[in-house]
Amino acid sequence: MPRKPIPTLSDVFTPTETPAHLARDVIESALREAIMDGRIPPETPLRQEEIAALFGVSRMPVREALRRLESQGLLHIQPYKGAVVTALINQDAMDAYGVRLLLEPEALRLSLPHLSDTDLADASARLASLRSARDSATLARLNREFHMALYRRAGNARLLYLIEQELEQEERFLRFHLSAMGTGHQARDDHEALLDAARSGDESRALALLRRHLSQAEQAIRHYLADQDNPESPAGDAPRTAGEPK
Amino acid sequence: MPRKPIPTLSDVFTPTETPAHLARDVIESALREAIMDGRIPPETPLRQEEIAALFGVSRMPVREALRRLESQGLLHIQPYKGAVVTALINQDAMDAYGVRLLLEPEALRLSLPHLSDTDLADASARLASLRSARDSATLARLNREFHMALYRRAGNARLLYLIEQELEQEERFLRFHLSAMGTGHQARDDHEALLDAARSGDESRALALLRRHLSQAEQAIRHYLADQDNPESPAGDAPRTAGEPK
DNA sequence: ATACTCTAAATTGGATCCAGGATCCAATTT
DNA sequence: AAATTGGATCCTGGATCCAATTTAGAGTAT
């Protein structure tokens, strides 16, 4: 009996050459999903035996799944000590915004002339959903999908792959911290203007808007992280990662 | 007597950061090396049992090593069919040059003001070695090291990581095809001029040279690949490498 | 001879077992 | 009481065994 396949967008890059539901693939997808949407918070140690029991398999497929997740940067494995979920975006990882400021405008520039009405409608649909969505997880996902919809026709698979990597990292961060940051409306206006520029095919305006949007997002996160590390107004209590061992 | 009577053991023993030589890590490194320098050519199927026997271990550490190499893009694994070494740069992978044309000039721009005499000496040393090196493997490696030496001070770890990834792919390709391409001297002049511009801190000239260098390298490889696929003198041709099975 | 079917060998996926390192805790020492 | 040590326990790394799948080959019918 084929189990319900877990829809992962990484399937976009691996053209579903794995029709069989191998345990290791099921576990890998499930763990990635769980890590990405925060059900498994950062710093959580992953015990092979525990996961194996959870899925009703032996430790073997778990081990192979963990190895792959490590290569994808979601886990950190130390010999004889095990795997822990990697931390979210921190000050060091802010470098990614510098990279995105290079990659995404170029992707948009390449994609703009080839965007179809369907593509624009897809992006618009995400925006509409963004307005009504309440939970951070959905908001973060829609944000990524909106951006990718605009870049989709860039015609450079490698470029799109790298951008998606960065966007997934941001998504994971936003799922955790978006509500505490409270900059959703800011980004919404940016998105509206960006989509409008894309619709009219105004390249220079669209690129300028995207660059500004990314810069502001970087600044927002940078300030948020700085406040986390050194809270000046401890009114809104920062949910310090308690990390209670289960 | 203020003299310490007994030196601490940490002074006696160098705190080596790599104490454990796990089989899977040894195998992973060995296989990557072998794939990168061409001892295992593309399209080669890798049999777990064969590799295990070669290293005198069981299939288990081999399997974990293969998993990681797959995530790193060196292998392609299909369920129940096994792992094959991925093909080298092909027409599809030329996308990478578009990405490099974005990333590397930015890295050079960021790095240029902070390059020390030591960094420039390192780059110069690579150039000197490039002049005397004969085999493609060494040439390809020195090419990568020369570029990275110039970018080293960019101060954006993520950017440098991505560039290194792309350079390693190119290195792997060049180890195979550099001798057949015969464009080594072309690149040498580019490198000389680039290093000169970097020495004088002439940012705009250095960036222009780098962009031209990358564009020409892309064109050289593109033409080479086109000739491979569609040779002007169709004599006894090499086995056609069955393109996209789509 | 060619195409087809079915079987056996080859190969990978997964389960179970054992060994070695890491961690925690009590016992001993200072 | 604080620190060190011995050892019990947990967890991971690797080996071996069995199951599932693919592939190659023998055999048969057309």
Side-chain angles (χ1 to χ4, degrees):
Chain A
M1 186 59 182
R3 254 163 251 165
K4 183 176 183 182
I6 298 173
T8 304
L9 253 181
S10 66
D11 293 350
V12 173
F13 305 107
T14 57
T16 65
E17 293 175 56
T18 56
H21 292 71
L22 284 83
R24 66 185 184 206
D25 292 331
V26 173
I27 294 171
E28 181 190 338
S29 301
L31 282 181
R32 176 165 44 222
E33 272 298 305
I35 292 172
M36 286 296 293
D37 69 14
R39 292 198 304 276
I40 306 178
E43 310 293 341
T44 305
L46 297 181
R47 301 296 168 210
Q48 297 177 2
E49 186 64 48
E50 183 181 356
I51 298 170
L54 216 62
F55 286 87
V57 297
S58 77
R59 279 171 45 220
M60 177 89 27
V62 176
R63 281 159 66 171
E64 297 201 43
L66 293 180
R67 285 309 266 181
R68 289 202 53 174
L69 292 171
E70 184 204 15
S71 288
Q72 293 163 18
L74 289 176
L75 301 178
H76 183 63
I77 298 182
Q78 281 187 316
Y80 299 108
K81 294 185 70 175
V84 296
V85 179
T86 55
L88 288 170
I89 292 178
N90 51 30
Q91 293 290 355
D92 291 346
M94 294 303 289
D95 285 354
Y97 277 94
V99 173
R100 291 181 57 187
L101 222 32
L102 285 177
L103 299 183
E104 297 194 32
E106 175 69 1
L108 181 59
R109 189 180 69 79
L110 293 172
S111 179
L112 252 187
H114 306 106
L115 280 179
S116 68
D117 291 343
T118 312
D119 299 325
L120 292 169
D122 277 357
S124 187
R126 260 67 177 190
L127 267 196
S129 301
L130 267 172
R131 268 189 289 275
S132 59
R134 310 301 296 164
D135 62 301
S136 296
T138 304
L139 286 165
R141 177 177 56 80
L142 290 170
N143 174 70
R144 171 174 57 80
E145 292 177 355
F146 169 76
H147 278 258
M148 286 309 292
L150 293 182
Y151 310 149
R152 192 187 295 162
R153 305 297 171 191
N156 185 324
R158 179 70 183 158
L159 179 62
L160 288 182
Y161 172 77
L162 294 177
I163 290 175
E164 179 115 32
Q165 294 290 104
E166 305 298 341
L167 281 174
E168 283 181 359
Q169 283 305 309
E170 184 190 45
E171 178 183 359
R172 196 174 152 229
F173 175 84
L174 290 180
R175 287 188 185 200
F176 263 96
H177 298 283
L178 193 56
S179 58
M181 292 176 63
T183 55
H185 57 286
Q186 170 69 49
R188 197 178 75 182
D189 296 343
D190 286 2
H191 287 160
E192 303 274 8
L194 178 56
L195 178 58
D196 188 63
R199 272 214 193 84
S200 61
D202 187 339
E203 175 181 307
S204 61
R205 187 158 68 94
L207 294 186
L209 286 170
L210 177 57
R211 288 200 189 88
R212 192 167 63 88
H213 173 56
L214 289 175
S215 298
Q216 289 179 349
E218 176 188 3
Q219 283 307 311
I221 292 185
R222 196 181 293 279
H223 288 151
Y224 172 74
L225 288 176
D227 285 354
Q228 292 282 89
D229 289 350
N230 197 4
E232 46 197 58
S233 61
D237 181 71
R240 211 53 209 127
T241 51
E244 69 269 8
K246 176 136 192 303
Chain B
M1 200 56 166
R3 182 189 170 276
K4 216 183 244 184
I6 299 175
T8 64
L9 280 182
S10 57
D11 294 332
V12 176
F13 296 107
T14 62
T16 170
E17 192 58 36
T18 55
H21 264 179
L22 288 88
R24 65 184 185 206
D25 292 332
V26 173
I27 292 172
E28 181 190 338
S29 302
L31 283 181
R32 176 165 42 225
E33 273 297 306
I35 292 173
M36 287 295 293
D37 67 15
R39 292 198 305 277
I40 305 178
E43 309 294 339
T44 305
L46 297 182
R47 303 295 170 209
Q48 297 177 3
E49 184 63 55
E50 183 181 355
I51 298 171
L54 219 62
F55 286 87
V57 297
S58 78
R59 279 170 44 219
M60 176 87 30
V62 176
R63 282 159 67 172
E64 298 202 43
L66 293 180
R67 274 277 162 214
R68 290 206 52 175
L69 292 172
E70 185 204 13
S71 286
Q72 293 163 18
L74 290 175
L75 300 179
H76 183 66
I77 298 182
Q78 281 186 315
Y80 297 107
K81 296 183 69 174
V84 297
V85 178
T86 57
L88 289 169
I89 292 178
N90 53 28
Q91 293 290 353
D92 291 347
M94 293 303 289
D95 286 354
Y97 276 95
V99 173
R100 291 181 58 188
L101 220 33
L102 285 177
L103 299 183
E104 296 193 33
E106 176 68 1
L108 181 59
R109 189 181 68 81
L110 291 173
S111 179
L112 253 188
H114 306 107
L115 282 178
S116 68
D117 291 344
T118 311
D119 299 324
L120 292 169
D122 276 357
S124 185
R126 260 67 177 190
L127 268 195
S129 301
L130 268 173
R131 268 188 288 275
S132 58
R134 309 300 299 163
D135 63 302
S136 295
T138 303
L139 286 165
R141 177 177 56 81
L142 290 170
N143 174 70
R144 171 175 57 80
E145 292 178 353
F146 170 74
H147 278 258
M148 287 307 294
L150 292 181
Y151 309 149
R152 192 186 296 161
R153 304 297 172 192
N156 186 325
R158 179 73 183 157
L159 179 62
L160 288 182
Y161 171 77
L162 294 177
I163 291 175
E164 180 121 33
Q165 296 290 103
E166 306 297 341
L167 282 174
E168 283 180 1
Q169 284 304 310
E170 184 189 47
E171 178 183 358
R172 190 174 156 228
F173 175 85
L174 290 180
R175 286 188 186 201
F176 262 96
H177 296 112
L178 193 57
S179 58
M181 293 177 61
T183 55
H185 56 288
Q186 171 68 51
R188 196 178 75 185
D189 294 344
D190 285 2
H191 287 159
E192 304 274 8
L194 178 55
L195 178 57
D196 189 61
R199 273 212 192 85
S200 61
D202 187 339
E203 175 182 306
S204 61
R205 186 158 70 94
L207 293 186
L209 286 169
L210 176 57
R211 289 201 189 88
R212 192 168 64 88
H213 173 55
L214 288 175
S215 298
Q216 289 180 348
E218 176 187 4
Q219 284 307 311
I221 291 185
R222 196 181 293 279
H223 288 150
Y224 172 75
L225 289 176
D227 286 354
Q228 293 282 91
D229 287 352
N230 196 3
E232 6 189 293
S233 59
D237 196 2
R240 189 74 181 76
T241 55
E244 300 307 308
K246 286 215 172 130

